[in-house]
């Protein structure tokens, strides 16, 4: 059994029109959501064996906030440049090449790929949009990452920032 958790980067700051898209930082709300969601995850779920993050500033910063909340072993933290602007097929290839000693993987990335890959891997629920700092966790009845195929994953849980606000 494998677990795959996707987290879309937290809300980014569009205040500097001269920054390249890959260099956009998190907004104040993005930082707030990432700190809140990472603490929630740390207190309610088993931690991942491996974290893979896009090298885009906003995704990398979101991943680092989660890693710090987890007191994560950074030897298992992987920056993957090709997660940025990745296709679903390419992201599936990245996942299929994860070391099998890792049973739980958390990936920090971007839309539309994260929404599309969630919909590609499961038919439990259709996501119109995984929002910024949205978390979707899937269970996979496989023992080898290379055996990952579409429509066979089951949603373990999903949690979006608006869900936290509705619980206040």
């Amino acid at each position: 059994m494998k677990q795959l958790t996707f987290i879309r980067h937290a809300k980014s700051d569009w205040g500097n029109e001269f920054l390249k898209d890959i260099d956009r930082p998190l907004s104040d709300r993005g930082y707030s959501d990432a700190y809140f969601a990472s603490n929630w995850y740390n207190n309610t779920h088993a931690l991942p064996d491996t974290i893979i993050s896009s090298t885009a500033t906003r995704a990398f910063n979101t991943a680092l906030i989660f890693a710090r909340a987890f007191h994560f072993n950074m030897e298992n933290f992987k920056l993957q440049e090709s997660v940025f602007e990745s296709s679903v097929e390419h992201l599936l290839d990245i996942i299929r090449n994860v070391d099998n000693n890792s049973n739980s993987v958390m990936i920090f990335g971007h839309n539309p790929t994260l929404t599309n890959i969630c919909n590609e891997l499961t038919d439990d629920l259709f996501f119109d949009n995984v929002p910024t700092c949205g978390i979707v966790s899937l269970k996979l009845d496989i023992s080898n990452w290379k055996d990952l195929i579409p429509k066979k994953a089951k949603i373990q849980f999903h949690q979006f920032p608006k869900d936290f606000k509705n619980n206040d």
Side-chain angles (χ1 to χ4, degrees):
M1 188 70 73
K2 302 284 188 190
Q3 179 180 341
L4 183 57
T5 302
F6 295 104
I7 301 178
R8 184 175 169 201
H9 65 78
K11 190 106 178 126
S12 59
D13 183 345
W14 289 82
N16 185 340
E17 64 185 278
F18 300 106
L19 284 179
K20 292 180 181 178
D21 184 43
I22 197 166
D23 295 326
R24 272 190 292 117
L26 294 177
S27 67
D28 290 345
R29 186 179 125 205
Y31 279 108
S32 176
D33 286 349
Y35 284 117
F36 189 89
S38 63
N39 286 323
W40 170 82
Y41 193 101
N42 188 43
N43 290 324
T44 57
H45 296 285
L47 302 183
D49 299 321
T50 300
I51 291 176
I52 300 171
S53 176
S54 159
T55 56
T57 301
R58 58 196 179 274
F60 177 54
N61 285 345
T62 305
L64 282 176
I65 289 168
F66 275 75
R68 282 195 302 263
F70 300 165
H71 302 283
F72 195 72
N73 177 354
M74 294 304 280
E75 289 179 14
N76 299 318
F77 186 103
K78 314 290 184 209
L79 282 175
Q80 183 79 41
E81 185 176 356
S82 63
V83 171
F84 182 67
E85 297 183 340
S86 175
S87 67
V88 167
E89 294 77 23
H90 182 70
L91 196 51
L92 287 170
D93 287 341
I94 291 169
I95 297 164
R96 288 181 181 124
N97 286 297
V98 168
D99 185 319
N100 274 319
N101 291 323
S102 187
N103 290 314
S104 176
V105 175
M106 184 175 277
I107 298 178
F108 290 82
H110 310 269
N111 263 356
T113 305
L114 287 191
T115 296
N116 293 340
I117 198 168
C118 290
N119 289 328
E120 180 75 15
L121 290 174
T122 183
D123 57 8
D124 286 349
L125 178 66
F126 180 82
F127 294 99
D128 288 326
N129 176 51
V130 174
T132 52
C133 214
I135 303 169
V136 178
S137 187
L138 306 174
K139 278 202 173 197
L140 306 143
D141 191 13
I142 57 174
S143 56
N144 188 316
W145 288 109
K146 292 192 183 320
D147 296 331
L148 178 66
I149 58 174
K151 302 300 182 193
K152 294 296 183 183
K154 296 294 177 196
I155 294 177
Q156 184 176 6
F157 67 88
H158 61 89
Q159 191 74 28
F160 301 157
K162 68 176 182 158
D163 300 327
F164 294 118
K165 292 172 178 74
N166 291 340
N167 292 332
D168 290 343

